[in-house]
Amino acid sequence: MNLLLDTHILLWAAGQPEKLSESTRALLTNPDNTLFFSAASIWEIVIKLGLGRRDFNVDPYRLRKMLVVHGHNEVPVTAEHALRVCSLPPLHKDPFDRLLIAQARAEGMLLLSCDAVVCQYQESIIPA
């Protein structure tokens, strides 16, 4: 399974794995799954870190490096991804989450998310 990880899943896996459910940990460690992270998540972390958000207190350079070292694949943001956001119903206002959903759909991936509002989109989403 190709799993695109939501930003908080990335942060928790990297620094607070105890926050991950047992089923999420199983998905992340299953060798049959291929793990992906979005450039949009790194961008979100940089922006929210700059705003002083404590839940985004991580070195984004180190996070990206460690994700790559541990075999996660980076998904760049493309114009196709941005255009796919237009087709999403307005259930969620967070532009980063909307872009992640669009990326998952465009790339044939499943977005692993702990955000209840994101999970309302259902298609291409796995609740964490």
Side-chain angles (χ1 to χ4, degrees), residues 68-81:
V68 172
V69 164
H70 291 319
H72 293 65
N73 301 285
E74 185 172 346
V75 179
V77 176
T78 68
E80 175 65 24
H81 298 148

Side-chain angles (χ1 to χ4, degrees), residues 31-46:
D32 293 332
N33 294 335
T34 304
L35 305 179
F36 294 85
F37 70 97
S38 173
S41 289
I42 303 301
W43 183 25
E44 178 180 16
I45 290 166
V46 168

Side-chain angles (χ1 to χ4, degrees), residues 32-92:
D32 293 332
N33 294 335
T34 304
L35 305 179
F36 294 85
F37 70 97
S38 173
S41 289
I42 303 301
W43 183 25
E44 178 180 16
I45 290 166
V46 168
I47 288 174
K48 293 183 177 176
L49 180 63
L51 294 173
R53 290 266 307 260
R54 289 187 168 184
D55 54 336
F56 287 83
N57 191 16
V58 64
D59 178 346
Y61 294 98
R62 180 166 165 67
L63 176 63
R64 183 187 177 277
K65 178 181 178 182
M66 296 312 296
L67 288 168
V68 172
V69 164
H70 291 319
H72 293 65
N73 301 285
E74 185 172 346
V75 179
V77 176
T78 68
E80 175 65 24
H81 298 148
L83 291 168
R84 289 267 184 130
V85 171
C86 291
S87 67
L88 296 176
L91 301 174
H92 203 323

